[in-house]
Amino acid sequence: MATLATSSLWPPCGHVGATLLLLMMLSIFIEITWCAQGTVNFREKEKQVLDQILGPGRYDARIRPSGINGTAGEATLVSVNIYLRSISKIDDYKMEYSVQLTFREQWIDERLKFNDFGGKIKYLTLTDAARVWMPDLFFANEKEGHFHNIIMPNVYIRIHPQGSVLYSIRISLTLACPMNLKLYPLDRQVCSLRMASYGWTTDDLEFVWKDGDPVQVVKNLHLPRFTLEKFLTDSCNSKTNTGEYSCLKVDLLFKREFSYYLIQIYIPCCMLVIVSWVSFWLDQNAIPARVSLGVTTLLTMATQTSGINASLPPVSYTKAIDVWTGVCLTFVFGALLEFALVNYASRSDMHRENMKKQRRQYELEHAASLEAAADLLEDGATTFAMPPTLLERLLAKLRLKAKIRASKPLVRRPGDALTLEKVRQCEIHMQPQRDNCCRTWLAKFPTRSKRIDVISRITFPLVFALFNLVYWSTYLFREEAEEN
């Protein structure tokens, strides 16, 4: 009995074990099958999803997506952000700048939702923008632009399972940048990048900046003559007779590097002005040297000024660099005119000295003739039928005139006690005490031409130093005021 009972219990236990073994093998087979599908067939699943959501008769790219949460009456929100890759140049003459950037747009299209198969499909990637609806964005201040197609077109569209669409493209643009050059080259310029909708009004489409970090700039951004100080994002919606259109802008604040202009413009101009002052220390009779020095510095300064203006647009207002070059050119031209004045004064002094010599010679000859006439009249007084009193008066008058003219120091003689210079010094010392030290100092230089040179040696540097003080204080303070 015991043996029979034992044998009757084994079949059920064997059946259960076989069932468990069969279930285990079945689960292993199913797992192997799923693994095989995950490694091999998920690309096929992506194709099936794309055919499902973008197949013929399923999606119309001409119809814009609904608003937030599928609201039909609301505008479609498009989030925008840009990555500034490089700025190749900022042209002052054409008032434009070239930039290369990665432009991104993101919006939600409820029609593009799909099953991600438990997170196995993160997003779908497209390269043909015509397959889905795209915002009609354009760059309002664009002059030129092109896409990058080497080696493949630098563009992609990512569709996420929740219906979020990300559009990214790399483009190069040449944008207009109206500049105010009143403080050039101590200026700051604001160049904008404007993006707006061309056909959809704000009732249908609205652009917004991406939350967090809407504009990224490459870390090693380098410009030859500018520094990107900061950037500001804002909206710039525009209203026309066809409606209001959404617009976004980013303002790039550039500061001009002054060291380049200090070395290339300001220091050379200062050197030319100082070189023109060398003529004040040359002899007034060195006419070829002084003329060649003045003309050379004037032509060099004029060439420098024309070279500066050639790189700038012809604006109607006065720039800071125009004030500097104009004053420097005036100083160089003034030094040349100073030599002309010195030359004229020198010839005037020579003419005056010649006239004085002639007058002295004439007075000496006239005095001698008067003495001879007086002697003749005295010797022949008995032959005249004049009254004695009248003859005596005539003789006395002739003798007095002869003595007066003979007593004047008309000619310098080695034996004279007082020379001409000593007489002038005595006259200066005999003048009233109101004469200041400047006149006393100028009296050391007998000719007017020499005095003009001496005064110019002091006046020109002092006036130029005063101009520098006023110039730099004025424009530097204006720069700080505009910055604040």
Side-chain angles (χ1 to χ4, degrees):
M1 291 294 293
T3 305
L4 181 60
T6 304
S7 62
S8 62
L9 293 174
W10 274 106
C13 292
H15 179 71
V16 172
T19 303
L20 292 174
L21 181 61
L22 182 61
L23 290 175
M24 186 180 296
M25 293 176 64
L26 182 61
S27 64
I28 293 173
F29 176 75
I30 293 174
E31 185 176 356
I32 293 173
T33 304
W34 277 102
C35 292
Q37 290 180 354
T39 56
V40 178
N41 297 328
F42 266 104
R43 302 289 77 82
E44 184 68 23
K45 290 293 183 182
E46 291 183 4
K47 177 181 179 304
Q48 294 176 4
V49 171
L50 288 174
D51 292 339
Q52 179 183 357
I53 61 177
L54 298 177
R58 296 181 178 272
Y59 185 87
D60 193 345
R62 298 172 298 176
I63 308 300
R64 72 171 180 88
S66 301
I68 301 175
N69 298 326
T71 306
E74 296 292 334
T76 303
L77 291 181
V78 178
S79 177
V80 176
N81 75 304
I82 60 176
Y83 176 65
L84 191 62
R85 292 184 173 271
S86 66
I87 299 176
S88 58
K89 68 174 181 177
I90 300 177
D91 195 335
D92 297 320
Y93 189 85
K94 296 182 179 180
M95 291 193 178
E96 63 185 19
Y97 71 106
S98 299
V99 61
Q100 182 186 129
L101 53 88
T102 298
F103 177 74
R104 304 186 187 98
E105 293 177 309
Q106 193 168 6
W107 66 93
I108 295 177
D109 195 340
E110 299 286 343
R111 298 169 295 175
L112 298 178
K113 289 184 177 180
F114 63 89
N115 182 15
D116 61 352
F117 294 94
K120 298 296 182 180
I121 302 178
K122 294 183 178 180
Y123 53 80
L124 302 174
T125 302
L126 300 176
T127 56
D128 186 7
R131 298 287 300 275
V132 297
W133 176 86
M134 293 291 298
D136 59 344
L137 181 141
F138 75 103
F139 295 94
N141 58 334
E142 172 200 356
K143 287 187 174 181
E144 295 178 359
H146 67 273
F147 301 114
H148 294 268
N149 297 319
I150 300 175
I151 298 177
M152 293 292 293
N154 298 161
V155 59
Y156 67 81
I157 299 174
R158 291 178 181 176
I159 303 175
H160 294 83
Q162 299 81 13
S164 176
V165 182
L166 173 64
Y167 173 73
S168 177
I169 187 171
R170 187 166 73 98
I171 52 178
S172 292
L173 299 171
T174 300
L175 304 167
C177 179
M179 298 181 182
N180 186 357
L181 300 174
K182 289 184 178 181
L183 298 181
Y184 177 91
L186 301 169
D187 58 335
R188 285 179 170 84
Q189 301 297 337
V190 178
C191 296
S192 299
L193 175 61
R194 296 174 177 267
M195 300 160 286
S197 173
Y198 188 79
W200 298 97
T201 63
T202 53
D203 296 332
D204 301 322
L205 178 63
E206 185 174 353
F207 293 110
V208 294
W209 286 109
K210 181 182 178 181
D211 295 334
D213 195 8
V215 178
Q216 300 93 37
V217 181
V218 66
K219 293 183 179 180
N220 57 347
L221 180 64
H222 177 71
L223 297 173
R225 291 186 296 172
F226 288 88
T227 300
L228 179 61
E229 287 191 331
K230 59 182 178 180
F231 54 85
L232 302 173
T233 57
D234 198 359
S235 60
C236 54
N237 292 0
S238 61
K239 291 183 179 180
T240 65
N241 56 1
T242 58
E244 182 179 359
Y245 297 90
S246 181
C247 174
L248 297 178
K249 71 172 182 177
V250 53
D251 293 330
L252 305 174
L253 179 60
F254 296 101
K255 179 182 178 182
R256 198 181 299 271
E257 290 291 344
F258 181 69
S259 58
Y260 168 80
Y261 301 93
L262 179 65
I263 297 173
Q264 297 294 327
I265 296 177
Y266 284 91
I267 292 180
C269 289
C270 284
M271 294 174 65
L272 287 174
V273 172
I274 294 173
V275 167
S276 68
W277 299 342
V278 175
S279 63
F280 304 153
W281 299 87
L282 298 178
D283 186 74
Q284 60 188 9
N285 296 322
I287 297 177
R290 298 188 68 161
V291 170
S292 61
L293 181 62
V295 172
T296 302
T297 53
L298 182 63
L299 293 178
T300 307
M301 192 65 213
T303 305
Q304 180 86 347
T305 303
S306 62
I308 295 170
N309 293 328
S311 61
L312 296 174
V315 295
S316 59
Y317 49 83
T318 302
K319 304 180 288 294
I321 194 67
D322 294 335
V323 176
W324 175 264
T325 55
V327 172
C328 291
L329 189 61
T330 303
F331 271 93
V332 175
F333 183 68
L336 186 60
L337 290 182
E338 189 271 347
F339 169 69
L341 182 61
V342 167
N343 192 296
Y344 173 78
S346 177
R347 288 185 287 108
S348 178
D349 291 338
M350 292 177 61
H351 179 71
R352 182 178 299 179
E353 290 295 329
N354 293 332
M355 292 298 295
K356 285 183 179 180
K357 290 180 180 179
Q358 293 177 3
R359 188 182 301 112
R360 291 169 184 170
Q361 186 68 25
Y362 172 77
E363 289 177 351
L364 287 175
E365 294 177 355
H366 190 60
S369 64
L370 287 176
E371 290 179 357
D375 295 337
L376 182 61
L377 287 174
E378 187 174 4
D379 294 338
T382 57
T383 61
F384 286 95
M386 285 186 178
T389 56
L390 183 60
L391 183 61
E392 290 176 358
R393 290 178 183 177
L394 181 60
L395 291 174
K397 190 174 181 180
L398 290 174
R399 289 192 186 97
L400 179 61
K401 288 183 178 180
K403 289 180 180 180
I404 291 174
R405 286 177 171 80
S407 63
K408 293 183 180 179
L410 300 178
V411 181
R412 290 183 57 186
R413 299 181 179 87
D416 289 345
L418 294 176
T419 60
L420 181 61
E421 288 79 5
K422 291 183 178 181
V423 171
R424 290 178 178 175
Q425 291 179 3
C426 292
E427 292 178 354
I428 292 172
H429 289 294
M430 292 173 64
Q431 289 179 355
Q433 295 296 326
R434 66 174 182 271
D435 292 345
N436 53 20
C437 60
C438 293
R439 292 184 178 180
T440 305
W441 177 71
L442 288 176
K444 298 179 180 179
F445 308 99
T447 60
R448 291 186 299 172
S449 58
K450 190 65 176 178
R451 292 178 183 178
I452 294 173
D453 272 342
V454 172
I455 293 174
S456 299
R457 294 173 189 175
I458 301 174
T459 305
F460 273 72
L462 286 179
V463 176
F464 189 68
L466 180 62
F467 162 71
N468 274 270
L469 179 62
V470 174
Y471 179 87
W472 294 113
S473 59
T474 300
Y475 283 102
L476 289 178
F477 287 154
R478 288 181 61 181
E479 181 188 11
E480 293 178 358
E482 289 192 358
E483 181 181 359
N484 296 331

